[in-house]
């Protein structure tokens, strides 16, 4: 991803005219006069809205809680004409790429990663409300490295690290599924700062060590990759600048009845380590099941292979899938899912099931096809179920 950023994006607050019942609570709640109305629509003035979110909770319908990532905000006059909200425009059209993103665009990029499979991402109904954008490039949090451990086998080709960062006295409230930005202290050959790198938190909200105000990241060393080399070489005691937290929809459901189906490749397992640890700490006897399909080239290359062996099956049902084990046929997560169709179909039919997909962009299509096939085998119309699950905050994708 080397495309140059050609536009500055912003998150625009909008009201859904189809759902709004015109009760006026948003206008009455807004302290900056951003909400107004005519006899057709209630609208938000992008010049005035400060995204304080005061208006969100009082709205009885949820019509107020709508957002679009835009290069040019929709004007009030335009919004007053709407019969329905416009669809989210494709960000590619704005020329934005992850590696070149400035911190102002990170939220948009996270949303784009979460839009995989189409449609608008919605947080699980029982997820805790996240804090986002507390720290930016201009006022980063300073974290101290507490640990940096290799979590692929010494014989593995890839060096994946488990990096523990302490925030000391600084507040850094983060939920499982959210990401942070890491600001490299190096400049490119032209003297410009390198763009931040995004990593999902791999630890639970109360810390890698409980109540220690620290987090863990899963970082793969990319040979020749300046930033990943720098991160993977950090010594205990090093101090680094961090932004975030980012992400407001790819979040762990707090409801212990929720079944959580997690499908990942490689370092895409990071958020699922966080989800698992959260459930182990908050609801170890939960009735909801946690099932993971996790793909890597070999057991040696699979991040956290050793620690995963110690996670009890009653907490986490594991399907570790390998694509390059000598003498064995190549297997991807979607192949193993198909092989477990009989077990997965009832889960898809269960209204408490949440699906999370994280990892390589390329896996998305294959996993979707497998889910469609599994559903169809059980007489379920996946084309109808997927958007319903997404709308209910039960279908989540984070792929890069
Ligand atoms: P990887 O080692 O390159 O691949 C892991 C496994 O996925 C391999 O077995 C690979 O098989 C297989 N695979 C390749 N194409 C596939 C496909 N189309 N469908 C299913 N499986 C496929 O993975 P990685 O380098 O760790 O990459 C993980 C991804 O997760 C990255 O894109 C990263 O940006 C993303 N991610 C990372 C984080 C984080 O916090 N670090 C968070 C979220 C997402 P073969 O190689 O044998 O084909």
């Amino acid at each position: 991803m080397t495309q140059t950023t050609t536009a500055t994006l912003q998150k625009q607050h909008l009201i859904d005219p189809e759902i709004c019942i015109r009760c006026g609570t948003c206008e009455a709640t807004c302290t900056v006069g951003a909400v107004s109305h005519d006899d057709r629509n209630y609208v938000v003035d992008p010049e005035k809205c400060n995204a304080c979110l005061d208006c969100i909770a009082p709205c009885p319908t949820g019509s107020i809680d709508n957002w679009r990532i835009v290069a040019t905000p929709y004007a009030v006059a335009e919004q007053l004409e709407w019969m329905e909200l416009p669809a989210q425009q494709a960000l590619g059209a704005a020329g934005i790429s992850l590696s070149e993103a400035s911190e102002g665009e990170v939220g948009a990029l996270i949303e784009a990663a979460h839009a995989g499979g189409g449609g608008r991402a919605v947080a699980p109904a029982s997820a805790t409300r996240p804090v986002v954008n507390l720290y930016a490039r201009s006022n980063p949090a300073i974290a101290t490295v507490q640990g940096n451990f290799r979590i692929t086998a010494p014989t593995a080709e890839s060096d994946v690290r488990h990096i523990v960062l302490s925030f000391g006295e600084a507040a850094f409230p983060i939920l499982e599924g959210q990401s942070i930005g890491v600001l490299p202290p190096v400049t490119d050959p032209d003297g410009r700062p390198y763009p931040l790198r995004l990593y999902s938190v791999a630890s639970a909200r109360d810390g890698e060590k409980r109540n220690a105000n620290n987090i863990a990241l899963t970082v793969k060393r990319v040979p020749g990759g300046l930033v990943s080399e720098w991160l993977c070489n950090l010594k205990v005691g090093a101090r680094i600048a961090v932004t975030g937290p980012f992400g407001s929809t790819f979040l762990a459901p707090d409801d212990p009845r929720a079944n959580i189906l997690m499908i990942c490749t490689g370092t895409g397992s990071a958020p699922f380590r966080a989800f698992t640890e959260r459930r182990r700490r908050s609801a170890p006897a939960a009735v909801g099941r946690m099932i993971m399909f996790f793909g890597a080239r070999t057991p040696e290359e699979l991040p956290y292979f050793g620690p995963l062996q110690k996670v009890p099956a009653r907490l986490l049902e594991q399907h570790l899938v390998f694509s390059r084990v000598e003498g064995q046929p190549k297997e991807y997560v979607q192949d193993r899912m198909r092989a477990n169709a009989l077990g997965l179909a009832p889960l898809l039919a269960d209204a408490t099931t949440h699906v999370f997909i994280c990892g390589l962009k390329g896996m998305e299509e294959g996993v979707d096809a497998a889910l469609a096939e599994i559903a169809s085998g059980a007489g379920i119309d996946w084309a109808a179920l997927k958007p319903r699950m997404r709308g209910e905050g039960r279908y989540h994708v984070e792929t890069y």
Side-chain angles (χ1 to χ4, degrees):
M1 285 186 275
T2 54
Q3 202 177 10
T4 306
T5 302
T6 57
T8 301
L9 298 181
Q10 59 181 278
K11 194 169 180 178
Q12 182 173 8
H13 188 191
L14 298 168
I15 299 173
D16 187 340
E18 285 183 288
I19 306 175
C20 176
I21 55 167
R22 305 181 48 77
C23 64
T25 46
C26 49
E27 192 168 354
T29 317
C30 182
T31 53
V32 294
V35 181
S36 61
H37 70 279
D38 67 1
D39 29 3
R40 189 196 315 216
N41 285 345
Y42 274 77
V43 295
V44 184
D45 186 340
E47 303 281 347
K48 295 181 183 165
C49 176
N50 60 4
C52 67
L53 305 182
D54 286 353
C55 57
I56 304 294
C59 171
T61 63
S63 58
I64 192 77
D65 197 6
N66 279 281
W67 307 84
R68 293 290 182 274
I69 309 301
V70 292
T72 309
Y74 297 103
V76 163
E78 200 176 352
Q79 295 175 47
L80 287 170
E81 296 299 314
W82 286 346
M83 301 296 284
E84 59 184 24
L85 282 180
Q88 172 64 57
Q89 69 174 111
L91 293 179
I96 302 297
S97 73
L98 182 59
S99 62
E100 299 291 336
S102 70
E103 70 273 12
E105 292 153 352
V106 170
L109 289 159
I110 298 248
E111 296 299 330
H114 292 175
R120 171 173 164 256
V122 176
S126 67
T128 303
R129 195 168 196 101
V131 173
V132 292
N133 304 331
L134 199 54
Y135 297 95
R137 190 185 283 270
S138 53
N139 67 325
I142 302 300
T144 306
V145 176
Q146 282 188 318
N148 182 347
F149 315 97
R150 182 171 167 126
I151 40 139
T152 41
T155 50
E157 198 180 301
S158 60
D159 179 13
V160 180
R161 322 284 307 187
H162 181 70
I163 299 179
V164 183
L165 300 175
S166 163
F167 290 106
E169 299 298 310
F172 201 98
I174 189 159
L175 296 176
E176 307 80 17
Q178 284 193 292
S179 304
I180 67 158
V182 172
L183 297 171
V186 280
T187 51
D188 70 13
D190 296 326
R192 292 173 307 194
Y194 270 97
L196 59 80
R197 295 295 192 273
L198 282 175
Y199 292 96
S200 301
V201 68
S203 47
R205 66 188 69 182
D206 51 349
E208 169 65 358
K209 179 178 173 190
R210 221 167 181 168
N211 303 324
N213 199 22
N214 58 6
I215 62 167
L217 305 180
T218 312
V219 182
K220 182 174 180 175
R221 186 190 297 273
V222 180
L226 204 128
V227 176
S228 80
E229 292 277 9
W230 161 73
L231 257 179
C232 290
N233 289 339
L234 283 174
K235 300 271 181 283
V236 170
R239 286 156 65 82
I240 68 170
V242 169
T243 63
F246 301 117
S248 55
T249 58
F250 192 102
L251 299 170
D254 278 342
D255 185 348
R257 291 164 303 180
N259 296 316
I260 308 180
L261 174 58
M262 302 171 286
I263 305 154
C264 60
T265 48
T267 54
S269 57
F272 301 148
R273 180 178 183 274
F275 283 24
T276 307
E277 192 53 19
R278 169 67 184 163
R279 181 152 287 179
R280 190 181 70 77
R281 291 181 190 181
S282 66
V287 291
R289 294 165 59 200
M290 296 192 86
I291 301 123
M292 183 170 72
F293 288 81
F294 185 173
R297 293 179 177 185
T298 63
E300 292 75 24
E301 301 281 346
L302 187 130
Y304 304 106
F305 183 77
L308 275 168
Q309 308 308 304
K310 297 186 198 128
V311 178
R314 70 184 145 69
L315 176 67
L316 178 68
E317 184 183 316
Q318 300 179 39
H319 299 270
L320 306 184
V321 182
F322 304 113
S323 60
R324 300 196 199 184
V325 172
E326 223 176 295
Q328 282 183 24
K330 192 176 186 79
E331 190 181 18
Y332 279 169
V333 280
Q334 53 268 37
D335 302 322
R336 184 68 68 87
M337 289 167 66
R338 280 195 182 87
N340 282 270
L342 285 179
L344 287 175
L347 267 184
L348 291 182
D350 186 333
T352 64
T353 298
H354 293 60
V355 175
F356 291 87
I357 302 166
C358 188
L360 297 167
K361 184 86 192 149
M363 73 189 281
E364 221 180 295
E365 199 181 321
V367 168
D368 188 56
L371 287 169
E373 205 177 300
I374 293 162
S376 148
I380 301 166
D381 179 5
W382 180 238
L385 178 59
K386 185 167 99 171
R388 194 166 79 237
M389 288 184 78
R390 184 184 280 279
E392 292 170 0
R394 298 193 294 115
Y395 183 85
H396 303 271
V397 180
E398 178 167 293
T399 53
Y400 295 117

